[in-house]
Amino acid sequence: MWFSSTAMLARARALGRPFRVLALESSADDTCAAIVDASRRVWSNVVVSQNKIHRLTGGIQPMVALLAHQRKMPSAVRRALTDAKLEMADIDGVAFTRGPGLPGCLSVCLNAAKTLAAAHNKPLVGVHHMQAHALTPNLTRDTPLPFPYLSLLVSGGHTMIVLVQSHVDFRVLCNTVDRSIGSTIDRVVTLLDIPWAANGPGPGLEKFCATSAAEDSDASKYDPPIPMPGKLAFSYAGLHSWVERTVAAAGGLEHINKLAVARAFQTAAFKQLQVKLQLVLRTHGHAVRHVVVSGGVASNAELRHRLKTSIRGPIEFVFPEPALCTGMLLDFVLSTPSISPPIDNAAMIAWASMHRFLAEDHDDYDIDPVPTWSLDDLRNPPPPKVQ
């Protein structure tokens, strides 16, 4: 079952319908609102992208993102309710991204959610962003994904392999010691002056590397490092430094084969994911049958191909549709109630909160954000409030 059948049936009986959650997300650079119910119906799903703003500065600027969230959150909430043809009286609970994320950006969805919940006397739940990533596959699958399974989380803020044992029991098996793969891709795209695609710098790199070119664009002539061999840890700062050194040694961008360097970088970045996942499967492969790959970087077709062809055995990879990995980063409000929700979106926050709402496990209205928050801590009491 998706949740405890007893809890789901009891709440549905009391309401006369499945429990509905309005969720808000603003942890980084997209302002999001969605309404999802316990039967997995996505009533509305709104994304307001800041892609056009941050493209001008080559990446997310925290204060710029914060101000954009403040401008757009009220209209995102209103659009979510309008598209669902619902009002706050029809909502049973309010959820939001509590962390991790940019502190100022988190404060926008937190304050909006607390205000809505308090004003309308609704229960409130704060959600761990990476927990939501790990649990989202069951929102889009026809049958529940059985615990335990592995989750490879690859995004602008995180690169980790997590053993998912329940809705709240996560064990981080492999984490980055410095920079995430998504953040590194963003920096390298800027360094190599690669055009962004409509969905951002990562898709821009993928499109650029797929460009047809002559033999002198063969990435095999370069040999980027694979850091920390044999260790269960990611490191991408060194790969970024390798690109910097390669450009500097050649005397500037105009003296290198940019396509070959970009291809070598992308291959090395993805090979590291492959190698570390193989290490994890040697010790945990007997206990799991599924590997969920989520986060913005998971939309890359080359990464999907590499993982599926290099890792054999009784392992099934679960990939969201490419358009669902990045939250469909568009430069206007997008509502998609008729299709599966984007992964990095408020819909995933709503779904991750559902088991707590059904168990009547709520947060106080004075809950604080947690910008730095390990998945391992979900097994422990929540972080203390700031006095």
Side-chain angles (χ1 to χ4, degrees):
M1 295 294 292
W2 303 105
F3 303 107
S4 163
S5 58
T6 302
M8 179 179 286
L9 289 174
R11 298 311 298 272
R13 231 181 257 116
L15 293 167
R17 53 169 174 73
F19 194 94
R20 295 185 192 130
V21 174
L22 167 66
L24 311 181
E25 147 68 18
S26 64
S27 61
D29 59 338
D30 294 312
T31 310
C32 310
I35 299 174
V36 178
D37 72 24
S39 69
R40 300 188 302 127
R41 177 177 176 179
V42 180
W43 290 73
S44 61
N45 196 16
V46 174
V47 178
V48 185
S49 172
Q50 299 178 11
N51 204 36
K52 184 181 293 183
I53 301 172
H54 298 299
R55 184 183 303 167
L56 301 175
T57 53
I60 299 175
Q61 301 298 313
M63 183 54 67
V64 173
L66 165 62
L67 293 174
H69 286 312
Q70 290 176 335
R71 288 194 303 271
K72 298 299 183 180
M73 183 60 78
S75 59
V77 172
R78 184 65 261 169
R79 180 69 180 268
L81 289 164
T82 299
D83 288 348
K85 297 181 174 57
L86 299 172
E87 296 294 338
M88 282 303 300
D90 305 310
I91 300 300
D92 305 309
V94 180
F96 68 97
T97 302
R98 187 182 183 190
L102 299 173
C105 294
L106 287 171
S107 71
V108 177
C109 64
L110 174 142
N111 288 326
K114 291 200 295 186
T115 300
L116 284 167
H120 295 276
N121 195 28
K122 306 293 183 182
L124 180 74
V125 167
V127 174
H128 192 295
H129 186 87
M130 305 313 291
Q131 175 195 25
H133 272 300
L135 295 179
T136 299
N138 277 340
L139 178 57
T140 58
R141 287 173 61 89
D142 292 332
T143 57
L145 193 65
F147 298 116
Y149 58 84
L150 290 177
S151 180
L152 174 61
L153 300 170
V154 281
S155 68
H158 300 85
T159 306
M160 61 177 68
I161 301 173
V162 178
L163 180 64
V164 183
Q165 301 182 99
S166 75
H167 290 96
V168 295
D169 191 352
F170 299 84
R171 182 181 171 192
V172 178
L173 304 177
C174 185
N175 206 346
T176 180
V177 298
D178 42 50
R179 189 174 294 156
S180 72
I181 184 174
S183 174
T184 304
I185 288 173
D186 292 352
R187 285 171 166 80
V188 169
V189 165
T190 299
L191 177 62
L192 295 180
D193 195 25
I194 295 172
W196 285 28
N199 285 1
L205 175 69
E206 179 180 9
K207 182 178 180 181
F208 183 71
C209 289
T211 303
S212 298
E215 292 181 0
D216 64 353
S217 293
D218 185 2
S220 64
K221 65 177 63 177
Y222 293 98
D223 189 25
I226 301 295
M228 309 181 74
K231 295 184 178 180
L232 283 178
F234 294 106
S235 174
Y236 281 95
L239 189 54
H240 177 221
S241 297
W242 173 82
V243 178
E244 287 183 318
R245 292 194 303 271
T246 300
V247 173
L253 282 179
E254 64 274 17
H255 301 298
I256 68 168
N257 188 309
K258 191 163 71 172
L259 180 57
V261 172
R263 286 175 171 172
F265 163 75
Q266 180 176 257
T267 298
F270 293 163
K271 184 176 181 180
Q272 187 178 168
L273 297 177
Q274 167 201 328
V275 169
K276 303 300 184 182
L277 181 57
Q278 287 172 325
L279 281 176
V280 168
L281 287 171
R282 286 178 193 172
T283 55
H284 292 84
H286 66 284
V288 300
R289 289 295 176 265
H290 298 86
V291 176
V292 174
V293 187
S294 62
V297 182
S299 65
N300 188 290
E302 175 63 26
L303 172 60
R304 294 171 178 232
H305 174 75
R306 174 178 285 274
L307 292 177
K308 287 189 289 188
T309 57
S310 65
I311 298 177
R312 306 299 176 89
I315 294 293
E316 177 187 345
F317 281 94
V318 179
F319 295 97
E321 290 301 313
L324 305 184
C325 292
T326 59
M328 299 182 183
L329 301 183
L330 304 180
D331 294 320
F332 50 85
V333 175
L334 171 71
S335 182
T336 54
S338 61
I339 66 172
S340 300
I343 295 297
D344 199 10
N345 185 267
M348 74 177 188
I349 303 301
W351 185 245
S353 71
M354 197 67 70
H355 69 282
R356 289 190 57 193
F357 279 119
L358 294 178
E360 299 187 1
D361 174 21
H362 310 141
D363 290 314
D364 296 332
Y365 291 152
D366 62 349
I367 185 175
D368 289 323
V370 188
T372 302
W373 190 5
S374 171
L375 268 172
D376 289 324
D377 291 338
L378 287 177
R379 295 192 299 268
N380 303 318
K385 295 183 176 65
V386 177
Q387 300 299 322

